[in-house]
Amino acid sequence: MRLPASCLVVLVGPSGAGKSRWAAEHFRSEQIVSSDSLRALVGTGDHDQRAGTDAYVLDLVLERRLARRLLTVIDTLGLDPVRRRHYAEQAHRHGVACHAVVFDTPADICRGRNRARAEPVPAKVLTAQLAARDEAASQVGGEGFDGVHSTEAVEVVPAELIDAPSSASRQRTAPLHLAFGLQLSSFARQPPGTALAPWLAEIAATAEAVGFSSIWVMDHMLQIPQVGRPWEDLPEAWTTLAWLAARTRTARLGTLVTGVTLRNPAHLAKIVASLDVLSEGRIVCGLGAAWWEHEHRLYGWRFPPLVERYALLEDTLQLLPLMWGPGSPPFSGKVISMAETLCYPRPHQEHVPILVGGSGERTTLRLAATYADACNLRGDPTTVRHKTSVLADHCRHVGRDPAEVRVTHLSTALVAPNRRQLRSAVDRHRARSATPEDAAERLGAGTVEEHIGRYRDLADAGVETAIVSLPDVATPGALEDFGQVIAAFAGRRPGPAL
């Protein structure tokens, strides 16, 4: 059975069915909440039946664990239909999936195990439990559980990968094309003692070789807290792209994304045009409204209110094509004015693609629909499908074909050929305070097969270019492992890829 990392598992079976043994084989001890241990907590010991009436203790423990979305296994009899429905409702109230595992252990085995116990359950009680188990087996499917299982092996995976095997199978039988970009968000991942320039050149060459069609960098002056620590090396974005342009031949190069407050927009136009010429037409200009006030203060830049930043973004989206186009007309926008829009050399590309980052539905996606060639989204396929629908509505409102705005998607992916290697990779990147499940979710950890399914689902949702940050990009073989995912989507390309 495949279970999501945030999940409540309810065991259903009589005494002697092997529930505790099965739970211990497949889950860590801290994930299991057993009636025996709770009786010991509030009574005189594991078998203090008088303490069994303190069901509120179990509810209290579950409430705390579910609030933190921790994977939890309830090792009780699970034979009371009212309690089972209550567990499912309690989990769903916290947005957590709830699965039931029904133990169909033969009655004679249950009785034999029970007799061997130091304090066996009375024979009549066990007979009633066996009857209740048979009744539960016929009822549990209609009690609101997200899945009902027999006692099979368990794989705990990020929620996004639950249905990945079937989606991977669909990709093999009815393949879709999907382009892939590599995002380099951390330069602290290079091997210790390795110089940045040759390491970056090697990463770029390998990325091209395994099939990445684009390489992207963040545009920040210091490392953002979501990725690393402020004293970690983070080379300036457009300078880094210039180096990458010299060390690559086919990959498009861009920023995810340049905040419009970080440079004078006309100066940015000059930077982009120059680099497009030097790269022979491989630049994508990623733009955003900027969000990190801290770096503005550190570098002495003004951080305007959001309304003004959006106005600056809209002006920049209109100004850049004028700077790169024929003639030198004047420009007067909401916050930018120029007597002449001069920029020589002109870009190598007749039209430099502009990507707008962010998924705000009222403003950001409207600006992407009005002025941009691409947007960049995040989230699961359901979220992406909704955002692309909003984008399409904005396109139609301004008279554009939604197909003119390519949909890109940013995600994190940790990839390994098999489950054993994947667990080792997660442990290498896991913070001491994080559970393996939390770490796997944050890292987007999955096997090659699971990631094929993951990206097929995103392609079905409308994504045309998947931009991927690899936490283990510096690990030998990591890019090649992801190359197996890329190869599964390498069919005929419907149009130019970002």
Side-chain angles (χ1 to χ4, degrees):
M1 72 184 76
R2 293 172 65 81
L3 298 176
S6 293
C7 182
L8 179 63
V9 182
V10 179
L11 308 188
V12 181
S15 300
K19 299 185 298 299
S20 298
R21 183 184 298 109
W22 181 86
E25 287 175 357
H26 295 96
F27 301 94
R28 299 189 306 280
S29 60
E30 66 270 21
Q31 296 173 316
I32 303 168
V33 179
S34 74
S35 53
D36 285 350
S37 62
L38 288 178
R39 278 195 291 268
L41 181 65
V42 299
T44 61
D46 292 356
H47 301 285
D48 183 355
Q49 295 300 320
R50 291 174 300 173
T53 60
D54 291 324
Y56 75 91
V57 178
L58 176 57
D59 280 344
L60 183 62
V61 171
L62 288 183
E63 192 68 24
R64 296 294 186 269
R65 291 186 64 83
L66 290 171
R68 296 183 58 196
R69 302 180 62 81
L70 297 173
L71 193 154
T72 303
V73 180
I74 303 178
D75 180 13
T76 66
L77 294 175
L79 298 175
D80 181 346
V82 175
R83 293 296 297 169
R84 289 197 302 269
R85 286 192 292 270
H86 172 70
Y87 295 147
E89 291 166 0
Q90 196 174 4
H92 293 156
R93 192 165 61 247
H94 289 278
V96 173
C98 190
H99 290 246
V101 180
V102 180
F103 286 71
D104 58 355
T105 311
D108 59 336
I109 293 178
C110 293
R111 290 191 173 98
R113 290 173 177 171
N114 182 55
R115 285 193 297 269
R117 289 178 169 178
E119 297 187 38
V121 172
K124 290 183 178 180
V125 173
L126 182 54
T127 298
Q129 290 178 4
L130 288 165
R133 186 269 310 275
D134 295 339
E135 188 174 1
S138 65
Q139 294 175 340
V140 69
E143 292 177 345
F145 290 96
D146 297 282
V148 178
H149 311 271
S150 58
T151 53
E152 56 208 37
V154 174
E155 288 183 348
V156 177
V157 300
E160 199 173 357
L161 300 180
I162 284 291
D163 298 321
S166 61
S167 299
S169 177
R170 191 166 69 253
Q171 177 61 17
R172 284 192 297 271
T173 57
L176 292 179
H177 175 78
L178 184 64
F180 285 87
L182 174 65
Q183 189 206 33
L184 298 173
S185 57
S186 173
F187 296 84
R189 292 170 180 161
Q190 67 191 80
T194 304
L196 175 59
W199 174 77
L200 188 55
E202 181 181 352
I203 291 294
T206 305
E208 279 192 324
V210 303
F212 283 102
S213 62
S214 55
I215 301 174
W216 306 78
V217 296
M218 298 192 307
D219 188 14
H220 288 285
M221 299 301 116
L222 66 161
Q223 186 56 272
I224 62 176
Q226 297 92 322
V227 175
R229 295 163 295 188
W231 56 84
E232 293 175 356
D233 288 345
L234 187 70
E236 195 278 330
W238 288 98
T239 309
T240 304
L241 292 179
W243 167 251
L244 289 170
R247 307 301 300 186
T248 54
R249 292 293 174 266
T250 61
R252 283 190 170 274
L253 306 166
T255 54
L256 274 184
V257 287
T258 287
V260 291
T261 56
L262 302 185
R263 294 167 191 81
N264 175 287
H267 184 203
L268 176 63
K270 180 75 172 181
I271 292 170
V272 174
S274 300
L275 189 47
D276 196 60
V277 169
L278 295 172
S279 68
E280 298 184 301
R282 293 189 283 129
I283 299 304
V284 180
C285 181
L287 293 176
W291 59 270
W292 200 16
E293 185 175 3
H294 177 63
E295 70 181 333
H296 289 72
R297 289 180 175 174
L298 284 180
Y299 278 75
W301 293 319
R302 178 172 173 262
F303 187 68
L306 182 59
V307 171
E308 188 176 335
R309 299 201 309 276
Y310 272 127
L312 180 59
L313 175 58
E314 185 165 12
D315 280 2
T316 303
L317 288 166
Q318 297 176 72
L319 173 65
L320 295 187
L322 287 179
M323 297 284 292
W324 299 330
S328 54
F331 175 78
S332 180
K334 295 178 179 177
V335 293
I336 301 174
S337 294
M338 292 184 64
E340 292 183 272
T341 49
L342 282 169
C343 181
Y344 292 96
R346 299 295 195 198
H348 181 89
Q349 298 177 87
E350 183 177 346
H351 179 80
V352 176
I354 295 177
L355 176 150
V356 170
S359 56
E361 296 182 11
R362 288 188 298 177
T363 304
T364 305
L365 291 180
R366 175 182 61 79
L367 292 176
T370 306
Y371 302 107
D373 304 284
C375 66
N376 183 251
L377 305 175
R378 301 190 188 200
D380 61 20
T382 300
T383 300
V384 170
R385 198 171 279 109
H386 170 69
K387 297 294 183 180
T388 55
S389 174
V390 173
L391 177 71
D393 288 343
H394 283 306
C395 285
R396 285 187 282 267
H397 183 74
V398 297
R400 284 187 82 182
D401 181 352
E404 294 178 18
V405 184
R406 294 183 66 85
V407 176
T408 73
H409 179 272
L410 178 61
S411 62
T412 300
L414 184 66
V415 184
N418 56 57
R419 187 69 53 192
R420 179 183 59 80
Q421 290 174 274
L422 186 65
R423 283 194 292 267
S424 296
V426 169
D427 283 342
R428 285 196 301 272
H429 294 276
R430 178 166 65 95
R432 292 180 62 183
S433 60
T435 67
E437 294 76 29
D438 286 342
E441 193 97 41
R442 179 181 61 82
L443 295 164
T447 63
V448 169
E449 182 79 355
E450 286 172 333
H451 278 293
I452 292 172
R454 175 193 190 187
Y455 288 104
R456 171 55 191 254
D457 288 341
L458 287 168
D460 285 337
V463 173
E464 297 165 274
T465 297
I467 302 172
V468 183
S469 176
L470 301 178
D472 59 347
V473 68
T475 303
L479 284 165
E480 289 84 353
D481 285 343
F482 197 86
Q484 298 178 59
V485 179
I486 297 174
F489 295 87
R492 186 179 63 84
R493 183 175 295 166
L498 289 180

